[in-house]
Amino acid sequence: MIDIVINPNYCKGCSICIEFCPKHVLQPSQDINAKGYFLPEPVDIEACTQCQLCVIVCPDLAIAVTPKEKQGSRNARK
Amino acid sequence: MLETALKEKKYRGEFIKPGRHYLEGSEACVEGALLAGLKVYAGYPITPASEIMEHASRRLPQFGGRFIQMEDEISAASTLVGASWAGAKAMTATSSPGFSLMQEVISFSIMTETPLVIVDVQRPGPGQGYITTSQEDVMQARYGHHGEGPLIALSPCSVQDMFELTIEAFNLSEKWRSPVLLMTEETVAHMREQLVVPELDTIEIVGRKKPQEMGITPENYLPYGHEIVPPMANFGEGYNINHVSLVHCEDGGVGNYSLKAHRENIERLHRKIEGNVNEIARVESHFLEDCEHVLICYGSVARTGLEAVKEVREVHGIKMGFIRLVTLWPFPEEKLRNLISTVKTVFVPEMNLGMMKHPITEALRDKCEQVVAMPEIAALHSPEKLVEQILEGTAC
Amino acid sequence: MLKHPMLEYIKEEGPSGMRFPHILCPGCGAGQVLNYTLHAVDDLIKEGGAKKENFVFISGVGCSSRLTSHYLKFDSGWTLHGRSLPFATGALLANPDLKIIIFTGDGDAAAIGGNHFIHAFRRNMDVTILCVNNGLYGMTGGQVAPTTLPFANTPTTPYGNIEDPFDLCKLAEAAGASYISRWITAQPMQIIKAVKKGIANKGASFIEVLSQCPVHEHETPVESMNALKEITVPVKKAEGSGKIPVGELHYRPRPSWTERYESVIEKANEALS
């Protein structure tokens, strides 16, 4: 089961994760946080390959994706 | 850690031996610093302070310490802060123009409560001025850095003082987690005279107060808290210390700004030094028991000042007392007031146009009839000249 | 709740209140550089056996320098504008085993810090510098910087910039840095690898990251990151392209200053025997 969690306290709605996801899993949503930022939401979790690219490029450490199994997950960050 | 590394390696450097020596003030300063535990020296050449740097470059590696000549005074002073944060006792020496350049770093080290020692071998200004002697930086010592923030400044008057007060400067810097300035003059740095070194185990060396020794764990550590002088963790000890010079809370936090938190930050820095002025500041005095006038001076002027006071007492029968400010800042106002009941005239000879005369006047305003400044530019007052001015001043 | 893996290294809150999210703007390249650097350091600690307590982060003043203020669960020093390098020099003189990472910006490093920049490289001090270059002074409102492109309109060049910019990597090479690379924020994997190489290099490692500044460029973060892609080219294809080369630009390892000072200590002690 893949979890894609966006922290509403840290996300600033910059959309970099949306742009970088190679599988277009994330899209802007109408969800607005306390600071007035529109949060992204995963619209196609099945397409997620757990590459962790969104996690790596986020300027605010605001997104987390279930890592791949130990030997697999290292490949994403060699 | 540096200390363990040094114990494991064998360095052949030897401290100056107990007994009598004949050497220059600059050299005595470095020997004192080595005894105090100096491990990092960063300097920049400037007359008349370069000799201190040269002695350090030769002696420090003998003890496994590290010396570097930096690209300017700003980086020399900045290097001291980084070294101190990593656990080393660090020092530099400069002269007045370089001292001006170091003010931002001094302000920074007050706010971050970083122990370090800066020697200012004063020379006349403004601008390039000249390369001889002066006491023109004594106000800059306290007020040259931007912002409210007290610090400690000592004024040596002899080669013996260059040795002893350098050690005291390091001790004060560690005890109060503060930069300490050694406000010396070209006269003293370049003077050669006797130095008497006591048995080394009688010399007190103060170490840093560490959170580990107080049983404080990294999770509970408050880098600007626990006590009025906060314990200081070094880089590399796992305490995750974040040094900041923005207004901060005890836990080092710089968000959630409030005027209340701001004032608390600044007021604690003041209480730490000014609130402990009677413990920190030292004065020396002679002939005060029956004095009708008093001469207050500091630095090398104390040498001729004491001569002049003895002469006017013995030859002219004037009941003159003598006070020497060993510590310029924090200004020992209460100590001065306790030493003097009432006098007619306070004489203040300085190698400037009158700087310490201001806090002296403020302190003794109600205890004297007049304060007479005795300015001298770029030269030490001669005893004869002082005697002449005293006779003139006491005649009216 | 699943948390971002690098929050392990962040002081999210302290006794005086929340510290995260950091104060940088939405889509800031400096925030990304923090993320990449933490990934590199995390790898070195978990896979490479590096000791976490030896890492020290030092910064000057500016947006990228803000990263070391009160966020990091590492030793850090948020120092003076332009002076992070001499502070780092001092720390290394006291303890050469420290792994020092510097966050700086183009103004901090090349304007006020220019003198210290060139001397730290000349000395080959063992530091890894992340220079977040957005071509302007972000924190103070977007003023012109020594790296601003010609003709740009900024608050202090309202009639257009008449100056030419530094090539920071060429400056670093001329000054003597032993490892130099340049990337854009849209190259996360390359930057992570470069940071690891920089830390492993015992000497001055300069990593320039061309970054977006969405607020002062009046663009969205993604638009701005794409603009950086347009003006850069991989170094192997740079000749004749008129674009800025990115990639590994220089690697000439040689002994660091502290390594060389060991010979000074030896000589000083031999002379006493």
Side-chain angles (χ1 to χ4, degrees):
Chain A
M1 228 295 265
I2 299 171
D3 264 326
I4 301 174
V5 180
I6 287 127
N7 185 333
N9 295 320
Y10 293 172
C11 178
K12 292 172 184 160
C14 71
S15 298
I16 290 175
C17 56
I18 295 171
E19 173 77 8
F20 260 77
C21 176
K23 300 294 180 186
H24 310 292
V25 172
L26 300 163
Q27 289 300 315
S29 77
Q30 289 306 300
D31 230 354
I32 196 167
N33 72 3
K35 298 237 166 88
Y37 295 122
F38 286 101
L39 307 175
E41 65 177 353
V43 297
D44 191 3
I45 297 190
E46 277 85 54
C48 176
T49 61
Q50 299 166 284
C51 71
Q52 305 290 317
L53 211 46
C54 56
V55 169
I56 295 171
V57 298
C58 176
D60 291 279
L61 315 187
I63 185 168
V65 175
T66 313
K68 282 196 202 148
E69 289 307 306
K70 260 278 155 80
Q71 57 267 41
S73 66
R74 281 295 147 205
N75 293 335
R77 290 196 288 126
K78 253 211 286 259
Chain B
M1 264 306 294
L2 191 61
E3 293 304 325
T4 24
L6 290 173
K7 280 186 199 133
E8 286 157 18
K9 283 192 176 179
K10 284 190 176 59
Y11 298 112
R12 298 207 182 99
E14 284 182 12
F15 294 128
I16 190 168
K17 296 206 173 348
R20 291 175 201 276
H21 301 266
Y22 179 70
L23 74 183
E24 198 182 58
S26 316
E27 214 181 321
C29 172
V30 174
E31 294 305 324
L34 290 167
L35 268 166
L38 177 72
K39 287 296 178 296
V40 172
Y41 188 105
Y44 189 75
I46 184 169
T47 307
S50 305
E51 291 82 1
I52 296 178
M53 181 176 65
E54 289 166 9
H55 290 307
S57 75
R58 197 176 40 84
R59 289 282 277 150
L60 199 46
Q62 294 171 352
F63 295 81
R66 292 185 181 88
F67 166 90
I68 189 167
Q69 184 183 306
M70 293 298 280
E71 55 270 20
D72 57 31
E73 286 89 348
I74 300 177
S75 51
S78 302
T79 303
L80 305 187
V81 182
S84 185
W85 286 348
K89 291 191 183 178
M91 179 172 98
T92 190
T94 187
S95 187
S96 310
F99 189 54
S100 288
L101 288 175
M102 293 183 181
Q103 295 302 319
E104 191 192 17
V105 183
I106 290 171
S107 189
F108 180 88
S109 51
I110 291 172
M111 191 56 152
T112 54
E113 303 184 69
T114 304
L116 52 86
V117 174
I118 293 177
V119 180
D120 178 12
V121 183
Q122 295 168 86
R123 68 187 242 185
Q128 238 177 30
Y130 203 52
I131 51 169
T132 51
T133 195
S134 120
Q135 291 178 326
E136 292 172 34
D137 299 343
V138 292
M139 273 294 162
Q140 190 188 193
R142 173 61 185 85
Y143 295 107
H145 62 267
H146 64 277
E148 286 290 4
L151 45 59
I152 301 172
L154 310 178
S155 175
C157 74
S158 61
V159 169
Q160 187 76 30
D161 258 4
M162 285 294 266
F163 175 78
E164 288 175 7
L165 292 189
T166 300
I167 297 173
E168 189 171 332
F170 277 99
N171 287 345
L172 289 168
S173 76
E174 295 293 337
K175 183 169 179 185
W176 300 100
R177 226 186 118 167
S178 169
V180 176
L181 307 175
L182 196 70
M183 301 301 292
T184 184
E185 303 125 25
E186 182 266 333
T187 340
V188 181
H190 284 175
M191 186 191 291
R192 279 177 197 277
E193 61 179 358
Q194 180 178 252
L195 166 67
V196 179
V197 176
E199 290 302 319
L200 299 189
D201 55 13
T202 62
I203 300 175
E204 192 204 356
I205 306 294
V206 173
R208 194 163 290 186
K209 185 162 65 172
K210 305 301 298 292
Q212 296 91 323
E213 289 157 18
M214 295 168 66
I216 299 168
T217 61
E219 296 71 38
N220 299 324
Y221 178 51
L222 302 172
Y224 304 104
H226 302 290
E227 294 183 351
I228 191 156
V229 181
M232 186 171 172
N234 299 334
F235 283 165
E237 292 178 339
Y239 271 73
N240 301 328
I241 183 168
N242 308 132
H243 292 285
V244 292
S245 74
L246 203 65
V247 163
H248 49 262
C249 301
E250 285 192 341
D251 65 342
V254 296
N256 301 310
Y257 177 85
S258 73
L259 276 181
K260 178 168 179 284
H262 186 149
R263 286 202 195 102
E264 269 169 21
N265 187 176
I266 303 304
E267 276 161 15
R268 183 181 61 76
L269 291 176
H270 265 269
R271 271 199 325 271
K272 183 177 75 164
I273 303 294
E274 299 287 352
N276 288 295
V277 58
N278 291 332
E279 196 184 329
I280 294 169
R282 288 205 291 123
V283 298
E284 273 173 15
S285 58
H286 304 283
F287 315 125
L288 291 183
E289 310 74 37
D290 60 345
C291 71
E292 290 175 357
H293 312 274
V294 69
L295 184 113
I296 304 181
C297 57
Y298 54 92
S300 47
V301 179
R303 309 292 289 269
T304 51
L306 188 57
E307 279 301 303
V309 166
K310 284 180 184 165
E311 185 172 320
V312 303
R313 287 182 68 88
E314 287 156 24
V315 174
H316 303 278
I318 295 176
K319 294 195 177 126
M320 176 75 71
F322 173 87
I323 294 178
R324 176 195 155 211
L325 303 173
V326 180
T327 313
L328 298 177
W329 307 106
F331 185 74
E333 177 169 322
E334 206 179 306
K335 281 194 170 165
L336 274 188
R337 288 184 63 80
N338 290 343
L339 284 171
I340 295 169
S341 41
T342 330
V343 292
K344 293 195 185 110
T345 312
V346 174
F347 291 94
V348 185
E350 302 184 78
M351 290 197 283
N352 55 51
L353 295 178
M355 289 193 178
M356 293 312 284
K357 77 157 192 190
H358 294 291
I360 288 170
T361 306
E362 202 177 294
L364 301 175
R365 186 188 305 276
D366 58 331
K367 292 194 171 229
C368 68
E369 289 169 28
Q370 57 168 353
V371 174
V372 173
M374 297 153 102
E376 186 70 69
I377 292 286
L380 194 49
H381 307 65
S382 65
E384 297 77 34
K385 195 162 176 193
L386 285 178
V387 168
E388 203 182 292
Q389 289 180 327
I390 289 171
L391 293 176
E392 216 178 283
T394 50
C396 355
Chain C
M1 188 178 92
L2 195 61
K3 284 179 74 160
H4 190 286
M6 295 305 117
L7 288 174
E8 178 189 340
Y9 300 113
I10 298 290
K11 292 179 181 173
E12 293 176 73
E13 68 179 305
S16 60
M18 287 301 295
R19 298 186 182 192
F20 237 56
H22 54 62
I23 62 147
L24 303 178
C25 304
C28 174
Q32 295 181 295
V33 168
L34 173 67
N35 197 345
Y36 306 158
T37 307
L38 290 177
H39 270 87
V41 170
D42 177 60
D43 270 353
L44 290 174
I45 293 171
K46 303 226 169 89
E47 309 275 302
K51 288 200 197 143
K52 180 182 176 291
E53 59 265 19
N54 281 345
F55 285 95
V56 176
F57 288 81
I58 297 188
S59 67
V61 167
C63 290
S64 46
S65 291
R66 230 19 233 258
L67 297 170
T68 70
S69 56
H70 63 167
Y71 304 119
L72 298 175
K73 238 181 228 167
F74 288 97
D75 287 326
S76 73
W78 183 20
T79 71
L80 293 170
H81 195 24
R83 322 284 174 197
S84 54
L85 282 164
F87 282 86
T89 297
L92 284 171
L93 258 64
N95 184 352
D97 295 331
L98 295 174
K99 293 186 180 339
I100 301 189
I101 297 171
I102 290 184
F103 287 137
T104 183
D106 44 298
D108 191 65
I112 187 170
N115 196 24
H116 310 307
F117 189 78
I118 57 178
H119 285 274
F121 292 149
R122 179 181 62 83
R123 297 188 182 110
N124 203 28
M125 297 303 308
D126 186 14
V127 292
T128 303
I129 299 169
L130 273 309
C131 179
V132 182
N133 182 356
N134 57 10
L136 47 83
Y137 279 81
M139 181 65 75
T140 44
Q143 294 84 7
V144 72
T147 47
T148 307
L149 292 175
F151 315 118
N153 269 302
T154 73
T156 42
T157 55
Y159 307 105
N161 180 22
I162 56 170
E163 295 178 10
D164 294 318
F166 271 140
D167 179 331
L168 293 181
C169 290
K170 283 211 175 124
L171 194 57
E173 185 181 342
S178 49
Y179 171 61
I180 301 171
S181 61
R182 177 194 285 127
W183 314 98
I184 56 175
T185 47
Q187 295 177 292
M189 304 315 202
Q190 294 88 330
I191 294 172
I192 292 172
K193 197 168 153 189
V195 173
K196 291 203 274 196
K197 182 162 178 174
I199 292 170
N201 174 41
K202 288 235 139 258
S205 305
F206 178 67
I207 302 167
E208 182 184 358
V209 180
L210 300 179
S211 164
Q212 69 279 13
C213 176
V215 166
H216 294 308
E217 285 159 4
H218 311 291
E219 289 179 333
T220 68
V222 170
E223 277 168 356
S224 191
M225 285 173 83
N226 286 332
L228 287 171
K229 284 185 195 171
E230 294 300 310
I231 61 169
T232 52
V233 68
V235 56
K236 292 202 170 92
K237 300 182 187 157
E239 186 107 22
S241 66
K243 295 190 182 184
I244 299 169
V246 296
E248 292 213 340
L249 303 178
H250 178 82
Y251 182 52
R252 183 172 75 91
R254 63 192 199 285
S256 70
W257 191 94
T258 35
E259 280 175 314
R260 283 189 250 186
Y261 198 78
E262 290 304 303
S263 66
V264 170
I265 295 179
E266 253 179 64
K267 278 188 191 157
N269 280 272
E270 261 164 35
L272 292 177
S273 60

